Amino acid sequence: MAAAATAAEGVPSRGPPGEVIHLNVGGKRFSTSRQTLTWIPDSFFSSLLSGRISTLKDETGAIFIDRDPTVFAPILNFLRTKELDSRGVHGSSLLHEAQFYGLTPLVRRLQLREELDRSSCGNVLFNGYLPPPVFPVKRRNRHSLVGPQQIGGRPSPVRRSNTMPLNLGNAGLLGRILDEKAPPSPSGQPEEPGMVRLVCGHHNWIAVAYTQFLVCYRLKEASGWQLVFSSPRLDWPIERLALTARVPGGALGEHDKMVAAATGSEILLWALQAEGGGSEIGVFHLGVPVEALFFVGNQLIATSHTGRIGVWNAVTKHWQVQEVQPITSYDAAGSFLLLGCNNGSIYYVDVQKFPLRMKDNDLLVSELYRDPAEDGVTALSVYLTPKTSDSGNWIEIAYGTSSGGVRVIVQHPETVGSGPQLFQTFTVHRSPVTKIMLSEKHLISVCADNNHVRTWSVTRFRGMISTQPGSTPLASFKILALESADGHGGCSAGNDIGPYGERDDQQVFIQKVVPSASQLFVRLSSTGQRVCSVRSVDGSPTTAFTVLECEGSRRLGSRPRRYLLTGQANGSLAMWDLTTAMDGLGQVPAGGLTEEELMEQLEQCELAPLGPSRGSLPSPSPRTSLTSLHSASSNTSMSGHRGSPTPPQAEARRRGGGSFVERCQELVRSGPEPRRPPTPAPRPSTGPGAPLTPPKIKLNETSF
């Protein structure tokens, strides 16, 4: 009788192995034997039944454990049979609970099962790994060192459309990101000095910027990637990076490879030697913060939205700064640099003729076109048609405006003498256009409304855009990437979503959902279809990425290759073969993230509402921006189909009502069970092969 009474209370200090123990786990009753619960030594249950852990009992006297009962069921079955059946339970949740209960055999089994799907050698697309370089010594002085004289050359086209500044207003932005910067270290140096901040590539060269230094790699056909240059340690963190590496045999020979770095208004320029090493060309000042740094051929260009442009000419070794209208976008084609300004005008500078106006210290800045509504030109993309005669290329320009308009202007043979003519206008965006790309087959525009992407298919006749049947709407989707303007560790330039790629080929977007994510998604810029996803091989967060178009080998039958370059928080650099991924497009599911993948990504950060009032949204800070990726045409939409919400909830979700956070919470409530237990326990190390768990980053949400 005494033993039965003690068993009814649920916590006998001593008892026979076959004694029945009653448990109440999260409101669900379980009954098992003492022997079943305690055969694993030093577990949660052995401590509980020995009295080393205080207990809480329900009204029936059963031991109450405030954990998830759905996950507890397979754990109890394992204790009974020593076999694991995890059907219907997420693997990470089961591992988390097994660690909480201290069931070492089950934890090890689950870890080994996870290792089958994860490798430090990456997946089939993993193409290369460069370990962190050696931290260099500090730079001795900040004075300009003039390199050897170089002779003129022919510029090559820049194949990317760009937009600046980053902040274009709060029209429909998913959220206002709070930049919670860590306090400076006692030494006064920036934190995370070994983190990759920026990555850029040109031909078979790569430049990687860390907090206070940069390195350059060169791809050699037989020996692979080799470190050829490392800069001294600088006094300030690098914010902008530019690289030019012309193919061998150019007009400047081996002296036309240069790398530039900038922060604030200061720019450093180095000349690179093909076999290794480099020399500092000089230190230049723009006078205002540098917001874009790039090369047009061998000319270094720096621009600021304040309306100032700086040009360093490789022939004359002259640095020239000039005031123009406030610049909101730019692009380059051939030797021409085009500037979109906030007064609605598009200006062009022929960089090749730059030395002709040296005496009066004035660039050849000419107005090419003015928007009919005089809206600010916030995005710009230039497409040079193939040469059809001795008169050269004919120009096509797509641009976006601050009011959301998308226009295409052309200058074809029939428009000679009258300047570019307005070809087509789209008024399908209600927010400022942030990116635009005109390629051989597609017109792609992105606006500030949570990075809403619209695409059109373009028809051409003899290489020129055709009016019959004109542009046809192709796709509409969104990009979700919760990222502050300063990005991971204080830099946003390394996390540009794209589109990346040559204009005569298919471009791609690169998506990183949360700031500390170690997984990237690659999607076609024309349809939003997923090309592939890659995860860092060492588990560290991805802090910068870009796409590199490498030229083909000299071997017969070799073709150019496209690589995704990812820089990690631990300083390493990984390369992924996008050419192979593009070749196997039909083997992967279309669309963006599924609801489950989105929730897994959002678990890495905290979304905090700004407040109860949503009528007046605060203006984003100039250092704050946000991008987002989610396919509106995907079969797995944000509204979801899990659970059975009430009719008002379903109607609100169908119309897109409610905040983004509320919809995420609704997804969690309507799912079969929460992903995470209500009281998470410290998670022990899972070995060298397991991914690192980045700290959560708080993000504020305004409206969706």
Side-chain angles (χ1 to χ4, degrees), residues 129-244:
Y129 181 85
L130 299 174
V134 178
F135 200 84
V137 298
K138 190 174 182 180
R139 184 177 173 223
R140 293 183 178 179
N141 61 70
R142 302 176 65 127
H143 298 294
S144 174
L145 301 177
V146 179
Q149 282 293 108
Q150 303 171 6
I151 59 176
R154 182 167 51 91
S156 62
V158 175
R159 291 294 196 177
R160 290 282 310 284
S161 62
N162 300 272
T163 302
M164 57 180 233
L166 295 171
N167 178 37
L168 293 173
N170 62 351
L173 288 178
L174 173 64
R176 179 172 176 263
I177 308 301
L178 285 184
D179 292 330
E180 297 182 351
K181 294 186 172 64
S185 62
S187 63
Q189 298 296 333
E191 298 293 339
E192 300 182 275
M195 178 193 74
V196 176
R197 293 174 64 90
L198 299 164
V199 183
C200 67
H202 193 210
H203 291 298
N204 291 347
W205 287 67
I206 297 174
V208 185
Y210 297 85
T211 302
Q212 292 180 280
F213 70 103
L214 63 89
V215 296
C216 294
Y217 298 91
R218 182 192 180 190
L219 177 62
K220 294 189 176 181
E221 189 168 327
S223 54
W225 291 99
Q226 293 185 346
L227 178 66
V228 294
F229 174 72
S230 179
S231 75
R233 183 157 56 94
L234 308 177
D235 298 325
W236 32 257
I238 297 174
E239 295 178 352
R240 298 289 182 266
L241 183 67
L243 171 70
T244 180

Side-chain angles (χ1 to χ4, degrees), residues 450-495:
N450 303 318
N451 250 13
H452 179 223
V453 182
R454 280 191 177 271
T455 65
W456 296 265
S457 61
V458 173
T459 56
R460 293 187 176 276
F461 178 70
R462 294 181 178 176
M464 298 183 296
I465 196 167
S466 173
T467 58
Q468 301 296 331
S471 302
T472 304
L474 185 62
S476 173
F477 55 94
K478 282 189 176 181
I479 299 188
L480 177 63
L482 304 176
E483 187 72 57
S484 64
D486 286 340
H488 192 294
C491 192
S492 65
N495 291 287

Side-chain angles (χ1 to χ4, degrees), residues 11-13 34 37-38 40-55 101:
V11 282
S13 59
R34 169 187 287 271
L37 289 177
T38 58
I40 298 179
D42 299 325
S43 68
F44 170 85
F45 301 108
S46 61
S47 300
L48 184 72
L49 297 181
S50 66
R52 295 197 299 269
I53 298 178
S54 60
T55 60
Y101 293 120

